[in-house]
């Protein structure tokens, strides 16, 4: 493909014009606050992947511009795309608007066509994951989003005065910043990170990894590898190991057959995007319970990426019961056979229990979850990652398990995959991310405005720029008085 860099400059000019026609960004309107001599941030984001970027952009376009996004990754490596996302291409259709926020010039398609043209876009199959990351890098740059990289959030405390103290660590050492609202844009890992089967936790880490971990696949060359699971991540990790030269890869799958149909695709609509939040809790749970029972099939291309290798095997109805160290390897025990393996990859999903997230320890125990008086057995099976999910308010904010125990939670927003049960898939996947960002923006803007209502009312009273000068009319009332005489 011929790469037209000049096309990007033209696209950015088009984006700037579109924003000006819509009077965006709106003027900055949030009153400044200080604490301990420093400016209080209106919003701090934990994470600058796709969810964080989209939500931050929506806030800035609405005039909330005293914000910052902190990400532990180096610049340009935020999110999963250059780390644990091991697919070759995205699974979403290339035509999705994704994080464009209703702005055509901000879409992936506009970005692609500006550089390579419409014919090349028509010829493009699925979006290569590296290209998607390049698009997000441009998105951040084009909107001038305030991302600070290589900075880790190490603690969160209530600072009083409706403020949150956020402890940060970067190359210069620790420091504290204050904010009015905190958004956890922590992506697929949600709140707790990878769900690790108990039988692996007792095994030395040199023998296994979760699919979301950094894995040195080069070290697996010539090794016997087992992959636990049958979802997209399992296929992607198995394929990556095979392509890195693994001697063999055995997929150990609990189910007796692979799921064939992606059920949610069949009812995808704006009704689902905007309506799921407003369903009774029992219906929300019922939808998610059914989809999880049916499971989402791995993509066709990802599956073939594995099975085309003669040294790959698929074992169905073969759940892992235990993993035992045996010198320089491990024995993976199943009901049908014991497998001698050099390395195990657990593609076993994610959890919602905050385990392993000490930075959130000050408030995690106070968060209301679905098991805290919401879930009932009549809704469906009590799956841990569902009943442990946070039960969120309308703006993705956490709610208190015990009212009054942790008021700070009302200003901490769970804008990540853990919000799915409460809000639908608006804060983790590409299709509805703009709708999710808009919902978050409306909630935060409303809360900030209400909190400053006295300041805004005082501003209303103080405003004294005249529209009329007093010489635009003549009062005819005196003539009426003369007529009466």
């Amino acid at each position: 493909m011929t790469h037209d860099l000049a096309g990007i400059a033209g696209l950015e000019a088009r984006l700037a014009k579109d924003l000006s026609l819509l009077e965006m960004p709106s003027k900055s309107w949030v009153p400044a606050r200080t604490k301990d001599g420093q400016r209080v941030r209106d919003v701090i984001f934990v994470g600058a992947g796709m969810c964080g970027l989209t939500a931050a952009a929506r806030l800035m376009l609405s005039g909330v511009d005293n914000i910052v996004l902190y990400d532990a990754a180096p610049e340009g490596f935020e999110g999963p795309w250059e780390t644990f996302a091991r697919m070759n291409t995205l699974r979403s259709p290339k035509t999705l608007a994704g994080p464009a926020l209703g702005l055509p010039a901000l879409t992936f398609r506009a970005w692609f066509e500006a550089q390579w043209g419409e014919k090349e876009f028509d010829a493009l199959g699925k979006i290569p994951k590296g290209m998607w990351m390049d698009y997000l890098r441009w998105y951040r740059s084009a909107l001038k989003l305030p991302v600070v990289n290589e900075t880790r959030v190490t603690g969160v405390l209530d600072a009083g005065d409706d403020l949150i103290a956020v402890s940060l660590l970067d190359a210069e050492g620790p420091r504290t910043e204050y904010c009015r609202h905190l958004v956890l844009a922590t992506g697929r890992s949600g709140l707790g990170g990878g769900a690790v089967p108990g039988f692996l936790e007792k095994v030395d880490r040199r023998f296994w990894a979760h699919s979301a971990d950094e894995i040195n696949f080069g070290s697996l060359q010539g090794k016997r590898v087992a992959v636990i699971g049958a979802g997209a991540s399992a296929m992607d990790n198995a394929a990556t190991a095979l392509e890195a030269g693994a001697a063999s890869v055995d997929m150990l799958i609990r189910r007796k057959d692979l799921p064939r149909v992606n059920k949610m695709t069949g009812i995808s609509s704006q009704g689902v995007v905007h309506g799921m939040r407003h369903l009774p809790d029992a219906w929300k749970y019922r939808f998610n319970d059914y989809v999880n029972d049916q499971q989402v099939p791995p993509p066709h291309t990802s599956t073939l990426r594995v099975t085309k290798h003669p040294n790959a095997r698929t074992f169905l109805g073969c759940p892992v019961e235990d993993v035992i160290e045996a010198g320089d390897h491990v024995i993976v025990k199943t009901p049908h056979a014991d497998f001698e393996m050099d390395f195990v990859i657990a593609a076993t999903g994610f959890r919602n229990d905050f385990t392993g997230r000490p930075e959130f320890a000050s408030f995690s125990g106070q968060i209301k979850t679905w098991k805290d008086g919401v879930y009932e057995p009549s809704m469906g099976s009590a799956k841990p990652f569902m009943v442990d999910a946070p039960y969120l308010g309308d703006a993705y904010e956490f709610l208190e398990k015990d009212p009054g125990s942790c008021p700070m939670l009302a200003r901490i927003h769970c804008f990540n995959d853990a919000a799915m049960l409460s809000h639908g898939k608006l804060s983790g996947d590409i299709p509805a991310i703009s709708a999710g960002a808009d919902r978050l923006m409306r909630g935060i803007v409303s809360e900030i405005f209400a909190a400053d209502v006295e300041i805004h009312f005082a501003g209303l009273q103080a405003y004294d720029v005249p529209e009329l000068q007093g010489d635009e009319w003549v009062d005819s009332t005196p003539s009426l008085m003369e007529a009466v005489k």
Side-chain angles (χ1 to χ4, degrees):
M1 295 187 299
T2 302
H3 192 182
D4 181 9
L5 290 175
I8 284 292
L11 178 63
E12 291 178 358
R14 173 182 154 196
L15 174 62
K17 179 66 173 178
D18 288 345
L19 288 171
S20 72
L21 291 172
L22 294 169
E23 294 187 283
M24 290 182 173
S26 300
K27 67 177 182 180
S28 183
W29 56 271
V30 182
R33 294 184 64 178
T34 60
K35 179 156 179 86
D36 296 343
Q38 62 174 288
R39 177 80 183 271
V40 172
R41 299 279 190 182
D42 296 329
V43 184
I44 288 178
F45 284 81
V46 182
M50 182 185 69
C51 288
L53 293 178
T54 311
R58 190 66 190 91
L59 277 169
M60 292 189 71
L61 293 177
S62 302
V64 182
D65 53 12
N66 178 28
I67 68 176
V68 65
L69 301 91
Y70 289 114
D71 199 293
E75 181 174 349
F77 291 86
E78 307 84 2
W81 310 109
E82 299 284 4
T83 54
F84 67 85
R86 298 182 175 113
M87 72 283 277
N88 288 331
T89 66
L90 271 60
R91 300 182 242 284
S92 303
K94 64 184 178 183
T95 51
L96 287 179
L101 300 171
L103 297 163
L106 203 54
T107 59
F108 170 83
R109 180 174 182 175
W111 174 82
F112 183 97
E113 290 182 353
Q115 299 170 88
W116 297 289
E118 293 183 10
K119 289 184 179 179
E120 289 289 355
F121 183 80
D122 291 341
L124 182 69
K126 293 293 181 70
I127 302 171
K129 67 166 185 172
M131 183 177 286
W132 180 256
M133 188 67 224
D134 286 340
Y135 161 69
L136 292 178
R137 291 173 180 133
W138 171 80
Y139 183 102
R140 164 183 171 173
S141 173
L143 293 175
K144 298 179 176 58
L145 298 176
V147 179
V148 178
N149 288 96
E150 300 182 65
T151 303
R152 186 176 298 278
V153 173
T154 58
V156 175
L157 293 173
D158 193 327
D161 301 320
D162 292 334
L163 300 179
I164 300 169
V166 180
S167 299
L168 303 165
L169 181 65
D170 60 16
E172 296 183 359
R175 71 179 190 278
T176 298
E177 286 195 3
Y178 300 96
C179 63
R180 301 180 66 167
H181 288 262
L182 181 68
V183 177
L184 306 185
T186 48
R188 183 69 69 188
S189 62
L191 304 176
V196 177
F199 52 72
L200 278 178
E201 291 180 342
K202 60 183 174 58
V203 177
D204 192 292
R205 284 305 304 262
R206 65 194 173 100
F207 292 116
W208 68 273
H210 188 271
S211 58
D213 293 335
E214 291 187 17
I215 300 176
N216 179 4
F217 282 92
S219 69
L220 300 183
Q221 183 175 3
K223 299 293 181 66
R224 300 163 297 178
V225 179
V227 176
I228 304 172
S233 180
M235 293 296 176
D236 292 336
N237 278 268
T240 304
L242 289 161
E243 291 160 3
S248 64
V249 172
D250 289 343
M251 302 200 69
L252 306 179
I253 300 168
R254 173 178 55 85
R255 285 178 168 256
K256 294 181 179 180
D257 196 6
L258 292 180
R260 310 294 175 89
V261 178
N262 188 340
K263 291 288 188 174
M264 284 302 290
T265 299
I267 63 166
S268 177
S269 71
Q270 289 299 297
V272 172
V273 170
H274 298 292
M276 191 68 73
R277 168 64 187 166
H278 302 288
L279 290 177
D281 291 334
W283 270 112
K284 292 176 190 173
Y285 199 95
R286 186 177 179 183
F287 268 96
N288 281 274
D289 185 53
Y290 177 78
V291 169
N292 282 299
D293 278 343
Q294 297 297 309
Q295 293 198 326
V296 177
H300 175 75
T301 53
S302 296
T303 306
L304 291 178
R305 187 180 163 203
V306 174
T307 58
K308 71 179 182 181
H309 292 270
N311 54 336
R313 297 188 297 179
T314 302
F315 293 93
L316 296 166
C318 193
V320 175
E321 296 177 328
D322 203 359
V323 177
I324 299 171
E325 292 184 41
D328 62 351
H329 64 282
V330 294
I331 297 173
V332 180
K333 303 184 76 65
T334 77
H336 306 298
D338 292 347
F339 294 81
E340 290 190 359
M341 291 290 162
D342 299 306
F343 198 75
V344 177
I345 299 174
T348 46
F350 298 89
R351 63 183 189 275
N352 285 318
D353 61 0
F354 275 106
T355 302
R357 301 299 291 262
E359 67 269 35
F360 302 140
S362 68
F363 63 85
S364 59
Q366 302 301 322
I367 292 172
K368 183 176 183 177
T369 68
W370 278 73
K371 67 175 176 284
D372 296 318
V374 182
Y375 167 77
E376 296 178 357
S378 61
M379 294 179 178
S381 57
K383 297 177 174 64
F385 66 92
M386 290 176 64
V387 296
D388 287 339
Y391 184 76
L392 301 174
D394 288 338
Y396 296 89
E397 75 274 18
F398 291 120
L399 303 177
E400 295 169 301
K401 183 183 302 185
D402 301 310
S405 62
C406 189
M408 173 179 66
L409 289 179
R411 298 183 299 282
I412 303 179
H413 306 263
C414 180
F415 195 63
N416 56 57
D417 198 61
M420 183 170 64
L421 188 51
S422 289
H423 281 267
K425 298 182 74 172
L426 272 67
S427 56
D429 291 345
I430 293 170
I433 187 61
S434 286
D438 190 71
R439 186 178 295 175
L440 177 69
M441 177 277 293
R442 292 174 185 272
I444 290 178
V445 163
S446 298
E447 288 293 329
I448 289 178
F449 181 80
D452 292 334
V453 64
E454 293 184 2
I455 296 173
H456 292 299
F457 187 71
L460 172 68
Q461 293 174 307
Y463 183 74
D464 61 358
V465 177
E467 178 73 21
L468 297 174
Q469 303 301 317
D471 57 0
E472 294 89 351
W473 72 92
V474 174
D475 184 4
S476 298
T477 305
S479 65
L480 293 177
M481 302 302 293
E482 288 294 329
V484 171
K485 291 180 179 178

